[in-house]
Each structure stands twice: as C-alpha cells, then as structure tokens.
Amino acid sequence: GAVVSQHPSRVICKSGTSVKIECRSLDFQATTMFWYRQFPKQSLMLMATSNEGSKATYEQGVEKDKFLINHASLTLSTLTVTSAHPEDSSFYICSAPLEQNNYGYTFGSGTRLTVV
Amino acid sequence: RKEVEQDPGPFNVPEGATVAFNCTYSNSASQSFFWYRQDCRKEPKLLMSVYSSGNEDGRFTAQLNRASQYISLLIRDSKLSDSATYLCVVNTGGFKTIFGAGTRLFVKA
C-alpha cells in the first residue's frame, strides 16, 4: 500500500535552533501533503497544506515564517521549524491523500520534537 | 461548537464487550467520513471509511446518518488489542479534513 516515510521520528534540539522534518511518499506521487501538529491528549490540528511546485497554504494562526514548508518534488515535502522554542515541542505528522479523498489518507509515522 | 465532536471517554470495557462511539459534525456539506485508530505516540491509521449504507469489517461496523449529522463505530467482541484512541475524521470538500479529538478505549482482561 501507499507509504509515507517521515524522518526523524524523534528530535531534541536547543531553543533557537532550526529543525527539518522530511516526508517522502515511497510508492506513489504526492502532489499534496498535509502537515499536522498534535499536542498531548488533543486532536490533530492542520498547520498547512503543501503543494508540489507552488507555495504552501497555511491555516489561520500558523506563522509561515516560522514553519517553512517546501514541496520540492512529487515525493518529498519538508517542514522546517525555525528558531524553535519550548512551546513548539509537539508531535508533528504529515499525511497524503490516497485518491480523491474517498480512500482516506496515509500518514507518516510522526516526529516528536522536544525543544529544551 | 466544534466542527467534529466526539466523546473523549475513556471507555473502559471488559474483553468481549460491545462498545459504540458516536461522532457529530456541524457542516452539512461534509462529503467523506472515516474512522482512524491512533495508538499512543503513533500515527493514525485508517480503520474504515464510512458510507451512507453502513459498512462492516469483521467486528467493526460503521454507520452514517446524514440527516442527524453523526457517524458511529461499533466494536463487537472487544479484544485487548482494540485499546487505542479512535478518531472521527470528516472531509468537508476538496482536501479540507477535520479530525475529532478522539475517543479513548481501554479493553481490560
């Protein structure tokens, strides 16, 4: 089945540094990738939608200059958390639609970011 | 009102029990509906899509009631391995997808 590979699975970084998270579609082309953030015991919150070859669309309240998204190819989307702070510590997860929405979405395995 | 609402639980049930989760959505134009399962500190995994006619997959049955704008998930003969958080997911058109906060299920021996 369709697989999205997400790396790293876990990262601890110092406050003020930047962290890049990669999501790759392994056996299909993902023209669209979604980036979510999930805080403990809360639902997944959509941060942005990345589209291959165009600028990402950010949800209200998400700082585009802080969360840089690049969809460089049909199989790779990256999220860079710039100048990370402890409040950015969260579970970040990407997903790609399988086919026209009716077949659900496939998720990356998630990245647990801890900013110290 | 949240766009997708679920009872957060937790539901604590013994093995073999039948348990039902409900989810309500506010956008009457919603088009696609799913149940996902999420284990602790893991990514969500698609459990099943939900169709107007209702659908069943083994011990799991999903129902959609468009008039009342709710979907349900029934788990029969609960197993220990069913312990997880169950997410109600609603697509409101295009790629606009809303996740419920999830319902936690604990199945005990």
Side-chain angles (χ1 to χ4, degrees):
Chain A
V3 174
V4 171
S5 175
Q6 183 171 348
H7 295 279
S9 59
R10 184 182 297 269
V11 59
I12 300 173
C13 71
K14 291 184 177 180
S15 190
T17 61
S18 296
V19 174
K20 180 185 281 189
I21 302 169
E22 292 189 350
C23 277
R24 294 180 183 273
S25 56
L26 297 186
D27 50 4
F28 69 104
Q29 293 182 333
T31 55
T32 300
M33 195 79 80
F34 304 101
W35 288 94
Y36 294 88
R37 179 167 52 184
Q38 186 178 33
F39 292 106
K41 299 185 180 181
Q42 295 186 25
S43 62
L44 280 76
M45 297 300 296
L46 180 65
M47 299 175 66
T49 302
S50 76
N51 299 290
E52 188 272 335
S54 63
K55 290 183 179 180
T57 303
Y58 290 82
E59 295 299 304
Q60 192 173 13
V62 178
E63 300 174 57
K64 63 177 68 175
D65 293 330
K66 180 170 182 63
F67 299 99
L68 300 180
I69 289 174
N70 184 280
H71 201 131
S73 71
L74 289 171
T75 59
L76 175 64
S77 178
T78 62
L79 167 67
T80 301
V81 182
T82 63
S83 186
H85 289 96
E87 57 265 31
D88 298 324
S89 299
S90 186
F91 188 57
Y92 293 86
I93 191 163
C94 61
S95 79
L98 292 176
E99 185 175 349
Q100 298 299 319
N101 298 324
N102 290 324
Y103 298 93
Y105 299 78
T106 184
F107 286 83
S109 55
T111 297
R112 189 157 302 280
L113 170 64
T114 302
V115 185
V116 298
Chain B
R1 182 185 174 189
K2 293 181 180 177
E3 291 188 77
V4 176
E5 292 201 66
Q6 294 182 250
D7 182 344
F11 285 58
N12 294 288
V13 302
E15 272 188 293
T18 295
V19 60
F21 305 138
N22 288 325
C23 167
T24 58
Y25 60 94
S26 61
N27 188 334
S28 60
S30 297
Q31 299 178 0
S32 306
F33 309 87
F34 310 91
W35 282 102
Y36 276 75
R37 170 195 170 127
Q38 185 174 25
D39 292 291
C40 188
R41 295 176 174 265
K42 300 282 189 180
E43 76 277 18
K45 293 187 184 297
L46 179 64
L47 183 62
M48 57 199 309
S49 301
V50 188
Y51 305 113
S52 296
S53 55
N55 47 306
E56 185 175 310
D57 183 3
R59 298 181 293 108
F60 299 85
T61 300
Q63 296 277 354
L64 165 64
N65 186 317
R66 285 190 182 272
S68 300
Q69 295 182 203
Y70 80 82
I71 68 174
S72 64
L73 176 67
L74 183 75
I75 305 176
R76 291 181 298 279
D77 189 22
S78 300
K79 311 291 184 189
L80 293 176
S81 57
D82 293 334
S83 297
T85 296
Y86 291 83
L87 304 173
C88 170
V89 182
V90 175
N91 176 274
T92 58
F95 287 133
K96 181 70 172 176
T97 298
I98 310 296
F99 284 79
T103 298
R104 298 177 70 192
L105 172 66
F106 294 102
V107 181
K108 299 182 178 180

mmCIF file of all heavy atoms in Angstrom, chain B residues 37-80:
data_model
loop_
_atom_site.group_PDB
_atom_site.id
_atom_site.type_symbol
_atom_site.label_atom_id
_atom_site.label_comp_id
_atom_site.label_asym_id
_atom_site.label_seq_id
_atom_site.Cartn_x
_atom_site.Cartn_y
_atom_site.Cartn_z
ATOM 1 N N ARG B 37 -7.688 4.881 13.809
ATOM 2 C CA ARG B 37 -7.244 4.405 15.103
ATOM 3 C C ARG B 37 -5.857 4.978 15.347
ATOM 4 O O ARG B 37 -5.000 4.967 14.463
ATOM 5 C CB ARG B 37 -7.188 2.867 15.076
ATOM 6 C CG ARG B 37 -6.508 2.271 16.274
ATOM 7 C CD ARG B 37 -6.158 0.818 16.050
ATOM 8 N NE ARG B 37 -5.306 0.373 17.140
ATOM 9 C CZ ARG B 37 -5.554 -0.688 17.877
ATOM 10 N NH1 ARG B 37 -6.611 -1.444 17.615
ATOM 11 N NH2 ARG B 37 -4.753 -1.034 18.866
ATOM 12 N N GLN B 38 -5.641 5.487 16.565
ATOM 13 C CA GLN B 38 -4.321 6.002 16.888
ATOM 14 C C GLN B 38 -3.862 5.397 18.207
ATOM 15 O O GLN B 38 -4.516 5.546 19.243
ATOM 16 C CB GLN B 38 -4.325 7.537 17.005
ATOM 17 C CG GLN B 38 -2.933 8.129 17.216
ATOM 18 C CD GLN B 38 -2.912 9.643 17.200
ATOM 19 O OE1 GLN B 38 -3.907 10.298 17.486
ATOM 20 N NE2 GLN B 38 -1.773 10.226 16.851
ATOM 21 N N ASP B 39 -2.746 4.695 18.140
ATOM 22 C CA ASP B 39 -2.133 4.162 19.347
ATOM 23 C C ASP B 39 -1.247 5.246 19.958
ATOM 24 O O ASP B 39 -0.804 6.168 19.276
ATOM 25 C CB ASP B 39 -1.332 2.908 19.025
ATOM 26 C CG ASP B 39 -2.250 1.762 18.602
ATOM 27 O OD1 ASP B 39 -2.981 1.280 19.474
ATOM 28 O OD2 ASP B 39 -2.255 1.396 17.416
ATOM 29 N N CYS B 40 -0.954 5.081 21.234
ATOM 30 C CA CYS B 40 -0.198 6.099 21.959
ATOM 31 C C CYS B 40 1.124 6.416 21.259
ATOM 32 O O CYS B 40 1.909 5.517 20.950
ATOM 33 C CB CYS B 40 0.042 5.617 23.379
ATOM 34 S SG CYS B 40 0.753 6.868 24.448
ATOM 35 N N ARG B 41 1.342 7.687 20.987
ATOM 36 C CA ARG B 41 2.594 8.163 20.399
ATOM 37 C C ARG B 41 2.855 7.599 19.002
ATOM 38 O O ARG B 41 3.996 7.480 18.572
ATOM 39 C CB ARG B 41 3.777 7.863 21.318
ATOM 40 C CG ARG B 41 3.698 8.627 22.636
ATOM 41 C CD ARG B 41 4.835 8.226 23.575
ATOM 42 N NE ARG B 41 4.854 9.057 24.772
ATOM 43 C CZ ARG B 41 5.606 10.140 24.916
ATOM 44 N NH1 ARG B 41 6.423 10.499 23.962
ATOM 45 N NH2 ARG B 41 5.557 10.839 26.019
ATOM 46 N N LYS B 42 1.788 7.221 18.330
ATOM 47 C CA LYS B 42 1.922 6.700 16.968
ATOM 48 C C LYS B 42 1.075 7.528 16.018
ATOM 49 O O LYS B 42 0.247 8.332 16.443
ATOM 50 C CB LYS B 42 1.463 5.234 16.912
ATOM 51 C CG LYS B 42 2.237 4.308 17.797
ATOM 52 C CD LYS B 42 3.565 3.947 17.199
ATOM 53 C CE LYS B 42 4.243 2.844 17.991
ATOM 54 N NZ LYS B 42 5.550 2.494 17.414
ATOM 55 N N GLU B 43 1.274 7.296 14.720
ATOM 56 C CA GLU B 43 0.460 7.991 13.740
ATOM 57 C C GLU B 43 -0.910 7.342 13.622
ATOM 58 O O GLU B 43 -1.077 6.148 13.892
ATOM 59 C CB GLU B 43 1.162 7.995 12.377
ATOM 60 C CG GLU B 43 1.115 6.694 11.603
ATOM 61 C CD GLU B 43 2.192 5.713 12.033
ATOM 62 O OE1 GLU B 43 2.770 5.861 13.130
ATOM 63 O OE2 GLU B 43 2.438 4.770 11.256
ATOM 64 N N PRO B 44 -1.927 8.087 13.214
ATOM 65 C CA PRO B 44 -3.244 7.497 12.986
ATOM 66 C C PRO B 44 -3.208 6.508 11.822
ATOM 67 O O PRO B 44 -2.475 6.705 10.864
ATOM 68 C CB PRO B 44 -4.124 8.696 12.635
ATOM 69 C CG PRO B 44 -3.371 9.896 13.087
ATOM 70 C CD PRO B 44 -1.925 9.538 12.965
ATOM 71 N N LYS B 45 -4.004 5.485 11.938
ATOM 72 C CA LYS B 45 -4.129 4.507 10.851
ATOM 73 C C LYS B 45 -5.597 4.352 10.484
ATOM 74 O O LYS B 45 -6.461 4.273 11.374
ATOM 75 C CB LYS B 45 -3.543 3.153 11.274
ATOM 76 C CG LYS B 45 -2.032 3.177 11.488
ATOM 77 C CD LYS B 45 -1.487 1.796 11.743
ATOM 78 C CE LYS B 45 -0.001 1.826 12.044
ATOM 79 N NZ LYS B 45 0.775 2.328 10.908
ATOM 80 N N LEU B 46 -5.854 4.329 9.193
ATOM 81 C CA LEU B 46 -7.229 4.218 8.713
ATOM 82 C C LEU B 46 -7.842 2.903 9.170
ATOM 83 O O LEU B 46 -7.303 1.827 8.908
ATOM 84 C CB LEU B 46 -7.259 4.320 7.193
ATOM 85 C CG LEU B 46 -8.639 4.197 6.542
ATOM 86 C CD1 LEU B 46 -9.538 5.347 6.953
ATOM 87 C CD2 LEU B 46 -8.507 4.140 5.022
ATOM 88 N N LEU B 47 -8.961 3.002 9.845
ATOM 89 C CA LEU B 47 -9.692 1.815 10.288
ATOM 90 C C LEU B 47 -10.726 1.446 9.236
ATOM 91 O O LEU B 47 -10.782 0.322 8.758
ATOM 92 C CB LEU B 47 -10.353 2.093 11.633
ATOM 93 C CG LEU B 47 -11.113 0.953 12.298
ATOM 94 C CD1 LEU B 47 -10.174 -0.189 12.613
ATOM 95 C CD2 LEU B 47 -11.815 1.438 13.561
ATOM 96 N N MET B 48 -11.551 2.421 8.882
ATOM 97 C CA MET B 48 -12.525 2.185 7.825
ATOM 98 C C MET B 48 -13.151 3.494 7.378
ATOM 99 O O MET B 48 -13.239 4.452 8.134
ATOM 100 C CB MET B 48 -13.614 1.200 8.291
ATOM 101 C CG MET B 48 -14.368 1.588 9.525
ATOM 102 S SD MET B 48 -15.232 0.190 10.316
ATOM 103 C CE MET B 48 -16.139 -0.514 8.951
ATOM 104 N N SER B 49 -13.566 3.486 6.140
ATOM 105 C CA SER B 49 -14.369 4.585 5.625
ATOM 106 C C SER B 49 -15.806 4.351 6.064
ATOM 107 O O SER B 49 -16.180 3.233 6.429
ATOM 108 C CB SER B 49 -14.287 4.633 4.099
ATOM 109 O OG SER B 49 -12.957 4.799 3.683
ATOM 110 N N VAL B 50 -16.607 5.393 6.022
ATOM 111 C CA VAL B 50 -17.997 5.280 6.465
ATOM 112 C C VAL B 50 -18.905 5.680 5.326
ATOM 113 O O VAL B 50 -18.768 6.787 4.782
ATOM 114 C CB VAL B 50 -18.284 6.185 7.681
ATOM 115 C CG1 VAL B 50 -19.671 5.893 8.243
ATOM 116 C CG2 VAL B 50 -17.229 6.000 8.756
ATOM 117 N N TYR B 51 -19.831 4.801 4.979
ATOM 118 C CA TYR B 51 -20.736 5.055 3.869
ATOM 119 C C TYR B 51 -22.170 5.170 4.367
ATOM 120 O O TYR B 51 -22.528 4.645 5.413
ATOM 121 C CB TYR B 51 -20.625 3.933 2.835
ATOM 122 C CG TYR B 51 -19.216 3.711 2.333
ATOM 123 C CD1 TYR B 51 -18.523 2.536 2.625
ATOM 124 C CD2 TYR B 51 -18.560 4.695 1.588
ATOM 125 C CE1 TYR B 51 -17.230 2.343 2.187
ATOM 126 C CE2 TYR B 51 -17.271 4.500 1.142
ATOM 127 C CZ TYR B 51 -16.609 3.324 1.449
ATOM 128 O OH TYR B 51 -15.324 3.147 1.010
ATOM 129 N N SER B 52 -22.970 5.848 3.574
ATOM 130 C CA SER B 52 -24.371 6.070 3.953
ATOM 131 C C SER B 52 -25.110 4.760 4.181
ATOM 132 O O SER B 52 -26.012 4.678 5.010
ATOM 133 C CB SER B 52 -25.081 6.883 2.868
ATOM 134 O OG SER B 52 -24.518 8.159 2.756
ATOM 135 N N SER B 53 -24.712 3.751 3.440
ATOM 136 C CA SER B 53 -25.400 2.462 3.560
ATOM 137 C C SER B 53 -24.904 1.673 4.754
ATOM 138 O O SER B 53 -25.419 0.600 5.070
ATOM 139 C CB SER B 53 -25.186 1.654 2.279
ATOM 140 O OG SER B 53 -23.805 1.517 2.013
ATOM 141 N N GLY B 54 -23.899 2.209 5.429
ATOM 142 C CA GLY B 54 -23.307 1.468 6.535
ATOM 143 C C GLY B 54 -22.348 0.429 6.005
ATOM 144 O O GLY B 54 -22.525 -0.079 4.902
ATOM 145 N N ASN B 55 -21.321 0.145 6.737
ATOM 146 C CA ASN B 55 -20.379 -0.863 6.299
ATOM 147 C C ASN B 55 -19.782 -1.598 7.489
ATOM 148 O O ASN B 55 -19.715 -1.071 8.601
ATOM 149 C CB ASN B 55 -19.288 -0.272 5.392
ATOM 150 C CG ASN B 55 -18.670 0.987 5.928
ATOM 151 O OD1 ASN B 55 -19.367 1.938 6.246
ATOM 152 N ND2 ASN B 55 -17.350 0.989 6.032
ATOM 153 N N GLU B 56 -19.401 -2.818 7.210
ATOM 154 C CA GLU B 56 -18.923 -3.699 8.263
ATOM 155 C C GLU B 56 -17.612 -4.321 7.846
ATOM 156 O O GLU B 56 -17.416 -4.670 6.681
ATOM 157 C CB GLU B 56 -19.979 -4.796 8.507
ATOM 158 C CG GLU B 56 -19.682 -5.724 9.662
ATOM 159 C CD GLU B 56 -20.834 -6.691 9.912
ATOM 160 O OE1 GLU B 56 -21.986 -6.236 10.001
ATOM 161 O OE2 GLU B 56 -20.569 -7.905 9.997
ATOM 162 N N ASP B 57 -16.712 -4.439 8.803
ATOM 163 C CA ASP B 57 -15.430 -5.085 8.546
ATOM 164 C C ASP B 57 -15.099 -5.922 9.764
ATOM 165 O O ASP B 57 -14.614 -5.416 10.765
ATOM 166 C CB ASP B 57 -14.349 -4.027 8.293
ATOM 167 C CG ASP B 57 -13.012 -4.659 7.949
ATOM 168 O OD1 ASP B 57 -12.930 -5.903 7.859
ATOM 169 O OD2 ASP B 57 -12.033 -3.911 7.760
ATOM 170 N N GLY B 58 -15.434 -7.195 9.675
ATOM 171 C CA GLY B 58 -15.201 -8.067 10.817
ATOM 172 C C GLY B 58 -16.016 -7.634 12.020
ATOM 173 O O GLY B 58 -17.243 -7.552 11.970
ATOM 174 N N ARG B 59 -15.336 -7.318 13.096
ATOM 175 C CA ARG B 59 -16.014 -6.937 14.337
ATOM 176 C C ARG B 59 -16.407 -5.456 14.368
ATOM 177 O O ARG B 59 -17.006 -5.002 15.333
ATOM 178 C CB ARG B 59 -15.093 -7.234 15.528
ATOM 179 C CG ARG B 59 -14.736 -8.696 15.691
ATOM 180 C CD ARG B 59 -13.841 -8.931 16.912
ATOM 181 N NE ARG B 59 -12.513 -8.338 16.767
ATOM 182 C CZ ARG B 59 -12.098 -7.259 17.419
ATOM 183 N NH1 ARG B 59 -12.894 -6.656 18.283
ATOM 184 N NH2 ARG B 59 -10.870 -6.791 17.243
ATOM 185 N N PHE B 60 -16.071 -4.742 13.336
ATOM 186 C CA PHE B 60 -16.292 -3.296 13.295
ATOM 187 C C PHE B 60 -17.414 -2.943 12.316
ATOM 188 O O PHE B 60 -17.428 -3.417 11.191
ATOM 189 C CB PHE B 60 -15.010 -2.570 12.869
ATOM 190 C CG PHE B 60 -13.857 -2.796 13.809
ATOM 191 C CD1 PHE B 60 -13.047 -3.909 13.686
ATOM 192 C CD2 PHE B 60 -13.591 -1.884 14.806
ATOM 193 C CE1 PHE B 60 -11.988 -4.116 14.547
ATOM 194 C CE2 PHE B 60 -12.533 -2.071 15.682
ATOM 195 C CZ PHE B 60 -11.724 -3.190 15.555
ATOM 196 N N THR B 61 -18.332 -2.110 12.790
ATOM 197 C CA THR B 61 -19.426 -1.639 11.943
ATOM 198 C C THR B 61 -19.507 -0.132 12.042
ATOM 199 O O THR B 61 -19.519 0.427 13.145
ATOM 200 C CB THR B 61 -20.776 -2.243 12.393
ATOM 201 O OG1 THR B 61 -20.705 -3.669 12.316
ATOM 202 C CG2 THR B 61 -21.897 -1.747 11.489
ATOM 203 N N ALA B 62 -19.556 0.525 10.898
ATOM 204 C CA ALA B 62 -19.662 1.979 10.862
ATOM 205 C C ALA B 62 -20.982 2.378 10.229
ATOM 206 O O ALA B 62 -21.459 1.731 9.298
ATOM 207 C CB ALA B 62 -18.495 2.566 10.071
ATOM 208 N N GLN B 63 -21.563 3.422 10.772
ATOM 209 C CA GLN B 63 -22.825 3.918 10.255
ATOM 210 C C GLN B 63 -22.736 5.424 10.069
ATOM 211 O O GLN B 63 -22.045 6.122 10.820
ATOM 212 C CB GLN B 63 -23.967 3.622 11.240
ATOM 213 C CG GLN B 63 -24.257 2.149 11.487
ATOM 214 C CD GLN B 63 -25.159 1.574 10.417
ATOM 215 O OE1 GLN B 63 -25.660 2.271 9.544
ATOM 216 N NE2 GLN B 63 -25.366 0.272 10.486
ATOM 217 N N LEU B 64 -23.470 5.919 9.079
ATOM 218 C CA LEU B 64 -23.535 7.359 8.817
ATOM 219 C C LEU B 64 -24.996 7.768 8.789
ATOM 220 O O LEU B 64 -25.801 7.130 8.107
ATOM 221 C CB LEU B 64 -22.869 7.679 7.475
ATOM 222 C CG LEU B 64 -23.136 9.062 6.873
ATOM 223 C CD1 LEU B 64 -22.583 10.166 7.769
ATOM 224 C CD2 LEU B 64 -22.551 9.157 5.467
ATOM 225 N N ASN B 65 -25.324 8.803 9.519
ATOM 226 C CA ASN B 65 -26.664 9.365 9.492
ATOM 227 C C ASN B 65 -26.541 10.823 9.061
ATOM 228 O O ASN B 65 -26.224 11.704 9.858
ATOM 229 C CB ASN B 65 -27.302 9.265 10.886
ATOM 230 C CG ASN B 65 -28.761 9.713 10.878
ATOM 231 O OD1 ASN B 65 -29.115 10.726 10.262
ATOM 232 N ND2 ASN B 65 -29.620 8.965 11.552
ATOM 233 N N ARG B 66 -26.774 11.059 7.789
ATOM 234 C CA ARG B 66 -26.597 12.411 7.251
ATOM 235 C C ARG B 66 -27.654 13.374 7.789
ATOM 236 O O ARG B 66 -27.373 14.539 8.020
ATOM 237 C CB ARG B 66 -26.658 12.392 5.722
ATOM 238 C CG ARG B 66 -25.404 11.841 5.061
ATOM 239 C CD ARG B 66 -25.438 12.071 3.570
ATOM 240 N NE ARG B 66 -24.284 11.528 2.897
ATOM 241 C CZ ARG B 66 -23.139 12.192 2.721
ATOM 242 N NH1 ARG B 66 -23.005 13.414 3.186
ATOM 243 N NH2 ARG B 66 -22.132 11.619 2.088
ATOM 244 N N ALA B 67 -28.853 12.891 7.998
ATOM 245 C CA ALA B 67 -29.927 13.767 8.474
ATOM 246 C C ALA B 67 -29.594 14.335 9.853
ATOM 247 O O ALA B 67 -29.823 15.509 10.141
ATOM 248 C CB ALA B 67 -31.249 13.011 8.521
ATOM 249 N N SER B 68 -29.037 13.489 10.698
ATOM 250 C CA SER B 68 -28.693 13.917 12.052
ATOM 251 C C SER B 68 -27.234 14.321 12.174
ATOM 252 O O SER B 68 -26.791 14.745 13.246
ATOM 253 C CB SER B 68 -28.993 12.784 13.046
ATOM 254 O OG SER B 68 -30.372 12.455 13.007
ATOM 255 N N GLN B 69 -26.508 14.164 11.108
ATOM 256 C CA GLN B 69 -25.104 14.557 11.052
ATOM 257 C C GLN B 69 -24.276 13.884 12.133
ATOM 258 O O GLN B 69 -23.580 14.541 12.924
ATOM 259 C CB GLN B 69 -24.972 16.096 11.100
ATOM 260 C CG GLN B 69 -25.577 16.763 9.885
ATOM 261 C CD GLN B 69 -25.434 18.273 9.869
ATOM 262 O OE1 GLN B 69 -26.195 18.950 9.208
ATOM 263 N NE2 GLN B 69 -24.489 18.830 10.580
ATOM 264 N N TYR B 70 -24.368 12.569 12.151
ATOM 265 C CA TYR B 70 -23.471 11.853 13.045
ATOM 266 C C TYR B 70 -23.039 10.543 12.403
ATOM 267 O O TYR B 70 -23.708 9.992 11.524
ATOM 268 C CB TYR B 70 -24.084 11.621 14.429
ATOM 269 C CG TYR B 70 -25.063 10.478 14.544
ATOM 270 C CD1 TYR B 70 -24.611 9.163 14.708
ATOM 271 C CD2 TYR B 70 -26.430 10.712 14.524
ATOM 272 C CE1 TYR B 70 -25.510 8.120 14.831
ATOM 273 C CE2 TYR B 70 -27.327 9.677 14.652
ATOM 274 C CZ TYR B 70 -26.864 8.381 14.802
ATOM 275 O OH TYR B 70 -27.759 7.353 14.924
ATOM 276 N N ILE B 71 -21.900 10.082 12.838
ATOM 277 C CA ILE B 71 -21.411 8.780 12.433
ATOM 278 C C ILE B 71 -21.111 7.970 13.682
ATOM 279 O O ILE B 71 -20.909 8.531 14.762
ATOM 280 C CB ILE B 71 -20.172 8.865 11.513
ATOM 281 C CG1 ILE B 71 -18.965 9.400 12.266
ATOM 282 C CG2 ILE B 71 -20.453 9.742 10.302
ATOM 283 C CD1 ILE B 71 -17.685 9.358 11.432
ATOM 284 N N SER B 72 -21.124 6.684 13.519
ATOM 285 C CA SER B 72 -20.906 5.819 14.680
ATOM 286 C C SER B 72 -19.963 4.688 14.314
ATOM 287 O O SER B 72 -19.784 4.350 13.137
ATOM 288 C CB SER B 72 -22.235 5.252 15.182
ATOM 289 O OG SER B 72 -22.821 4.422 14.191
ATOM 290 N N LEU B 73 -19.344 4.152 15.344
ATOM 291 C CA LEU B 73 -18.478 2.985 15.185
ATOM 292 C C LEU B 73 -18.841 1.995 16.276
ATOM 293 O O LEU B 73 -18.863 2.355 17.455
ATOM 294 C CB LEU B 73 -17.001 3.375 15.307
ATOM 295 C CG LEU B 73 -16.008 2.227 15.251
ATOM 296 C CD1 LEU B 73 -15.997 1.589 13.852
ATOM 297 C CD2 LEU B 73 -14.606 2.702 15.620
ATOM 298 N N LEU B 74 -19.142 0.789 15.876
ATOM 299 C CA LEU B 74 -19.489 -0.266 16.819
ATOM 300 C C LEU B 74 -18.401 -1.316 16.784
ATOM 301 O O LEU B 74 -18.020 -1.779 15.705
ATOM 302 C CB LEU B 74 -20.838 -0.893 16.440
ATOM 303 C CG LEU B 74 -21.385 -1.962 17.378
ATOM 304 C CD1 LEU B 74 -21.939 -1.303 18.633
ATOM 305 C CD2 LEU B 74 -22.471 -2.775 16.688
ATOM 306 N N ILE B 75 -17.902 -1.665 17.945
ATOM 307 C CA ILE B 75 -16.900 -2.733 18.044
ATOM 308 C C ILE B 75 -17.512 -3.878 18.842
ATOM 309 O O ILE B 75 -17.904 -3.696 20.000
ATOM 310 C CB ILE B 75 -15.612 -2.245 18.733
ATOM 311 C CG1 ILE B 75 -15.052 -1.014 18.016
ATOM 312 C CG2 ILE B 75 -14.564 -3.364 18.763
ATOM 313 C CD1 ILE B 75 -13.827 -0.416 18.706
ATOM 314 N N ARG B 76 -17.587 -5.017 18.218
ATOM 315 C CA ARG B 76 -18.128 -6.200 18.901
ATOM 316 C C ARG B 76 -16.990 -7.077 19.405
ATOM 317 O O ARG B 76 -15.898 -7.078 18.844
ATOM 318 C CB ARG B 76 -19.010 -7.007 17.947
ATOM 319 C CG ARG B 76 -20.319 -6.334 17.568
ATOM 320 C CD ARG B 76 -21.129 -7.233 16.632
ATOM 321 N NE ARG B 76 -20.418 -7.478 15.386
ATOM 322 C CZ ARG B 76 -20.389 -6.636 14.370
ATOM 323 N NH1 ARG B 76 -21.052 -5.502 14.442
ATOM 324 N NH2 ARG B 76 -19.716 -6.932 13.272
ATOM 325 N N ASP B 77 -17.286 -7.841 20.447
ATOM 326 C CA ASP B 77 -16.312 -8.813 20.973
ATOM 327 C C ASP B 77 -14.945 -8.147 21.153
ATOM 328 O O ASP B 77 -13.931 -8.569 20.558
ATOM 329 C CB ASP B 77 -16.203 -10.003 20.014
ATOM 330 C CG ASP B 77 -15.389 -11.140 20.594
ATOM 331 O OD1 ASP B 77 -15.268 -11.218 21.827
ATOM 332 O OD2 ASP B 77 -14.852 -11.941 19.800
ATOM 333 N N SER B 78 -14.897 -7.111 21.940
ATOM 334 C CA SER B 78 -13.675 -6.314 22.125
ATOM 335 C C SER B 78 -12.486 -7.185 22.525
ATOM 336 O O SER B 78 -12.607 -8.121 23.326
ATOM 337 C CB SER B 78 -13.901 -5.254 23.205
ATOM 338 O OG SER B 78 -14.937 -4.386 22.853
ATOM 339 N N LYS B 79 -11.345 -6.844 21.959
ATOM 340 C CA LYS B 79 -10.081 -7.510 22.277
ATOM 341 C C LYS B 79 -9.174 -6.526 23.004
ATOM 342 O O LYS B 79 -9.310 -5.310 22.869
ATOM 343 C CB LYS B 79 -9.375 -7.973 20.989
ATOM 344 C CG LYS B 79 -10.241 -8.741 20.012
ATOM 345 C CD LYS B 79 -10.620 -10.092 20.535
ATOM 346 C CE LYS B 79 -11.403 -10.874 19.482
ATOM 347 N NZ LYS B 79 -11.982 -12.123 20.034
ATOM 348 N N LEU B 80 -8.225 -7.074 23.737
ATOM 349 C CA LEU B 80 -7.254 -6.213 24.413
ATOM 350 C C LEU B 80 -6.558 -5.292 23.410
ATOM 351 O O LEU B 80 -6.266 -4.132 23.693
ATOM 352 C CB LEU B 80 -6.212 -7.060 25.154
ATOM 353 C CG LEU B 80 -6.712 -7.885 26.340
ATOM 354 C CD1 LEU B 80 -5.579 -8.747 26.895
ATOM 355 C CD2 LEU B 80 -7.278 -6.992 27.421
#
